[in-house]
Amino acid sequence: MATLIVFTQPSPVEDAEALHKAFKGWGADDKTIIAILGHRNVHQRQQIRKAYEELHQEDLIKRLESEISGDFERAMYRWMLEPADRDAVLANVAIRNGKKDLHVIAEIACVLSAEELLAVRRAYRHRYKRSLEEDVAANTTGHLRQLLVGLVSSYRYEGDEINARLAQSEANILHETVKEKKGNYEEAIRILTTRSKTQLVATFNRYRDEHAISISKKLLDNQASDDFYKALHTAIRCINDHKKYYEKVLRNAIKKVGTDEDALSRVVVTRAEKDLRDIKELYYKRNSVHLEDAVAKETSGDYKKFLLTLLGKQD
């Protein structure tokens, strides 16, 4: 379930005019900006953006970029984009940040549905005049390249059918891949980039039953610092249970010495209209602290107010 609280919208034109008024004077009225945009769904935000451009002959997003700054601006910028365009931007940022963020490519590719991922690839091509696959390939090598290009190029079947015999045989292949850095990497990549998510979950369950440990934990224990295994681990966790994956991303972002604002914003902004309420509940069960309280403690200013608004916290 979503955490976004959507208020009754007066009209896109009224919201656009209220925002324009908030930009006047010395410094923007950030409280008004958050009160409006933090309580509008994606369709309403696009209507406001369109109305603003028609009324004032300028792009609302560009105006926001010039009026606000820092982590608040980056989070608001991504919030204002349509989901496919937002994920295209997140993918590009991950590629430009290099090895430390390439697992985000696996995250995007494995959390989204086949149609959603296809929309991201279209948005990426339109925005950057290159394909997502092209940029991923140009910035990776070896097995990491094979895995990530395969994941972003995938168009998975989304039915519920399971082949139990196939799950058994492919669980064995994955076991060989993660065992002491030996095994057939190409076969493991083929499995993870082509099978349906339902089939893969059956394979992961078979692995756990056979070896008394989940494959994601085995990867984490053995190969935590290897870029290929980090991407492999992310892919498996996102396919197996993306909500638990996001809970851990939030936990790591908040517990880190110096909060990882990029990771924190990415999860809150991308999941607020989808399943952030479920992720919040998982966070509380795991940490005995409400996510809103943890965010409030580790952030400040308008950035904090905006994230808390998206988390559903009301004044």
Side-chain angles (χ1 to χ4, degrees), residues 82-89 91 108-109 112-128 130-133 151-156 158 274:
E82 292 186 52
D85 200 25
R86 177 198 303 141
D87 283 329
V89 169
I108 292 167
L112 300 180
S113 69
E115 288 296 332
E116 288 170 337
L117 180 55
L118 189 59
V120 172
R121 291 167 64 193
R122 288 196 184 102
Y124 194 99
R125 184 182 62 187
H126 177 74
R127 178 178 275 268
Y128 300 108
R130 300 182 303 277
S131 73
L132 176 56
E133 307 92 292
L151 289 174
V152 300
S153 305
S154 180
Y155 189 79
R156 299 181 193 276
E158 294 182 339
K274 294 184 176 181

Side-chain angles (χ1 to χ4, degrees), residues 176-216:
E176 289 302 314
T177 300
V178 302
K179 188 174 69 175
E180 297 177 0
K181 285 194 175 184
K182 295 178 181 178
N184 193 330
Y185 295 113
E186 284 75 16
E187 277 295 281
I189 291 167
R190 175 189 62 78
I191 292 165
L192 287 170
T193 58
T194 62
R195 297 299 184 206
S196 73
K197 291 181 182 180
T198 304
Q199 181 65 37
L200 285 170
V201 170
T203 299
F204 302 153
N205 289 341
R206 191 71 236 153
Y207 182 100
R208 186 190 61 227
D209 293 343
E210 289 277 322
H211 304 288
I213 187 174
S214 71
I215 186 170
S216 58

Side-chain angles (χ1 to χ4, degrees), residues 216-258:
S216 58
K217 284 184 180 177
K218 185 68 175 175
L219 280 167
L220 202 60
D221 289 345
N222 290 359
Q223 318 292 347
S225 63
D226 185 290
D227 293 322
F228 169 66
Y229 276 87
K230 186 176 182 182
L232 196 67
H233 179 255
T234 298
I236 290 170
R237 290 216 68 191
C238 288
I239 291 167
N240 205 28
D241 190 335
H242 72 270
K243 293 175 187 177
K244 284 186 177 179
Y245 165 79
Y246 280 128
E247 184 281 323
K248 189 168 184 180
V249 172
L250 289 170
R251 186 172 7 123
N252 289 344
I254 290 167
K255 285 186 175 180
K256 195 173 181 181
V257 177

Side-chain angles (χ1 to χ4, degrees), residues 37-98:
L37 297 177
H39 291 290
R40 301 291 185 268
N41 63 36
V42 62
H43 177 64
Q44 292 170 326
R45 297 195 302 276
Q46 300 315 308
Q47 287 183 318
I48 295 168
R49 187 179 177 186
K50 182 180 177 183
Y52 190 93
E53 186 158 8
E54 289 173 353
L55 288 165
H56 303 290
Q57 290 74 54
E58 69 174 335
D59 185 356
L60 176 57
I61 291 179
K62 288 185 178 177
R63 184 60 187 264
L64 284 165
E65 285 182 287
S66 69
E67 294 288 344
I68 59 180
S69 61
D71 295 317
F72 176 39
E73 182 273 320
R74 280 187 289 277
M76 180 62 76
Y77 173 80
R78 291 165 188 178
W79 178 244
M80 287 300 297
L81 297 174
E82 292 186 52
D85 200 25
R86 177 198 303 141
D87 283 329
V89 169
L90 290 171
N92 184 257
V93 169
I95 291 167
R96 287 190 285 109
N97 283 347

Side-chain angles (χ1 to χ4, degrees), residues 99 102 136-150 185-186 189 226-229 231:
K99 287 188 175 182
L102 286 174
V136 169
N139 289 275
T140 53
T141 58
H143 292 116
L144 179 61
R145 173 191 284 170
Q146 292 174 26
L147 176 63
L148 293 182
V149 171
Y185 295 113
E186 284 75 16
I189 291 167
D226 185 290
D227 293 322
F228 169 66
Y229 276 87

Side-chain angles (χ1 to χ4, degrees), residues 228-295:
F228 169 66
Y229 276 87
K230 186 176 182 182
L232 196 67
H233 179 255
T234 298
I236 290 170
R237 290 216 68 191
C238 288
I239 291 167
N240 205 28
D241 190 335
H242 72 270
K243 293 175 187 177
K244 284 186 177 179
Y245 165 79
Y246 280 128
E247 184 281 323
K248 189 168 184 180
V249 172
L250 289 170
R251 186 172 7 123
N252 289 344
I254 290 167
K255 285 186 175 180
K256 195 173 181 181
V257 177
T259 307
D260 184 348
E261 287 85 1
D262 279 346
L264 176 59
S265 296
R266 186 175 80 250
V267 178
V268 173
V269 168
T270 60
R271 308 316 296 180
E273 295 179 88
K274 294 184 176 181
D275 50 17
L276 190 53
R277 187 175 301 278
D278 303 322
I279 296 165
K280 278 171 55 177
E281 290 173 2
L282 287 170
Y283 187 92
Y284 182 75
K285 287 177 183 177
R286 180 67 175 73
N287 304 281
S288 301
V289 175
H290 290 292
L291 181 58
E292 297 95 321
D293 294 337
V295 169

